């Protein structure tokens, strides 16, 4: 049955993967994976309140020396998480920091390359 008002939309992937780096004007002391996760949760709660804090966040990889990690989030929450991370400023040992989203993909393998 052909209905001109009915669109056949392509289903999006369920998950989105973000490669995130901490940025600061000064060297940042080593941050644990737990502190990284809490910083992301703090960003979501500060910008969007309890609804933002309820977003699903899974840290797949974290390198405390390069201050870079890969985060798995739901595709439907991508814009919420992205905007919260880019608008959040926080301190680590009295050093002002922010998040930088290096890359984003629906496929984990595309972020798994070593860019060092």
């Amino acid at each position: 049955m052909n209905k001109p008002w009915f669109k056949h939309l392509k289903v999006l992937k369920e998950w989105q993967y973000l490669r995130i780096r901490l940025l600061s004007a000064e060297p940042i002391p080593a941050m644990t994976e737990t502190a990284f996760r809490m910083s992301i949760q703090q960003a979501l709660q500060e910008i969007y309140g309890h609804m933002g804090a309820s977003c699903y966040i899974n840290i797949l990889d974290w390198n405390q020396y390069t201050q870079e990690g890969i985060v798995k989030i739901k595709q439907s929450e991508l814009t919420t998480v992205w905007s919260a991370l880019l608008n959040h400023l926080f301190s680590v040992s009295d050093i002002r920091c922010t998040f930088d989203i290096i890359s984003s993909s629906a496929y984990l393998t595309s972020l798994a390359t070593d860019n060092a």
Side-chain angles (χ1 to χ4, degrees), residues 2-3 11 19-20 22 25-27 39 42 44 48-49 51 60 74 76 78 84 86 88-89 91 97-98 100 102:
N2 191 5
K3 298 177 185 175
V11 178
R19 182 178 290 274
I20 302 171
L22 290 181
E26 303 174 35
S39 297
Q42 181 184 12
L44 287 163
Y48 293 105
M51 290 303 291
L60 299 179
K74 289 184 177 181
S76 61
L78 176 62
L86 293 182
H88 182 64
L89 292 173
S91 294
C97 303
T98 188
D100 181 29
I102 301 168

Side-chain angles (χ1 to χ4, degrees), residues 10-30:
K10 184 178 179 182
V11 178
L12 295 174
K13 296 289 182 185
E14 184 178 359
W15 302 106
Q16 188 75 16
Y17 302 92
L18 301 175
R19 182 178 290 274
I20 302 171
R21 179 184 302 147
L22 290 181
L23 291 180
S24 175
E26 303 174 35
I28 306 168

Side-chain angles (χ1 to χ4, degrees), residues 28-110:
I28 306 168
M31 177 186 253
T32 65
E33 181 179 329
T34 305
F36 179 63
R37 177 188 304 275
M38 294 306 296
S39 297
I40 294 173
Q41 287 299 127
Q42 181 184 12
L44 287 163
Q45 185 165 2
E46 186 177 292
I47 303 294
Y48 293 105
H50 293 296
M51 290 303 291
S54 68
C55 290
Y56 178 84
I57 301 290
N58 189 1
I59 309 298
L60 299 179
D61 183 43
W62 173 247
N63 186 327
Q64 64 182 357
Y65 303 108
T66 61
Q67 306 291 328
E68 192 173 299
I70 296 177
V71 177
K72 176 181 168 183
I73 60 174
K74 289 184 177 181
Q75 176 72 37
S76 61
E77 298 171 344
L78 176 62
T79 55
T80 303
V81 173
W82 193 299
S83 63
L85 293 178
L86 293 182
N87 290 310
H88 182 64
L89 292 173
F90 61 101
S91 294
V92 175
S93 300
D94 294 330
I95 300 171
R96 298 296 288 170
C97 303
T98 188
F99 292 108
D100 181 29
I101 299 175
I102 301 168
S103 57
S104 171
S105 177
Y107 302 99
L108 179 59
T109 55
S110 65

